[in-house]
Amino acid sequence: METGEQLKRASCRFEEYLQSHRQRKTPERFAILEAVYSFSGHFTLEELLKRMIEERHFIVSRATVYNTINILTDAGVVVRHRLGGTAEYEKAVGMADSHFHLICSKCGAMKEFHDEKLLRSLSEIRVGKFTVDSYTLYVHGICAKCASVMKRKKKRLLK
């Protein structure tokens, strides 16, 4: 799905959420939503704040960004990933159920991957009377870069 279409659908969903929860539709909230949908992948709150101020020239407080990201998450237009002690975010509209995450246990690097067979398998899972509407899959391991470093260290120790 094209980024412009994703933003349009996310804006509609966000507006409906704000209206149904009797919250204000402020320019700041929608500017933050636009900045979120300008990222091509994962981002941190610090990266979002930096983009708002430096690239979009939209002065917004740290508190407003933090509060708005929570509302965007509740509205289902942003997904929060908790990786170790940090949180990363990504847009949700047009991205749901489409990719998984490989996370290096050593350096914390994260890479997205797609697997149609795995997607089909997950969509077929039934758990009693529980209806699955979304899922997140994190696969932890060692990335190639860290594995190479570990292998070199091991060789040095054996010499």
Side-chain angles (χ1 to χ4, degrees), residues 39-44 47 79 81 83 87-91 95 99-103 110-112 138:
F39 282 96
S40 62
H42 299 164
F43 61 91
T44 64
E47 291 167 333
V79 177
H81 299 284
L83 307 169
E88 289 191 8
Y89 300 85
E90 70 179 324
K91 53 191 168 190
M95 300 293 286
H99 65 279
F100 308 103
H101 303 89
L102 297 172
I103 303 166
M110 181 170 35
K111 182 178 178 181
E112 294 180 354
Y138 300 107

Side-chain angles (χ1 to χ4, degrees), residues 120-132:
R120 281 192 303 276
S121 295
L122 287 171
S123 68
E124 295 169 0
I125 293 174
R126 301 289 176 252
V127 185
K129 294 182 180 180
F130 186 81
T131 303
V132 176

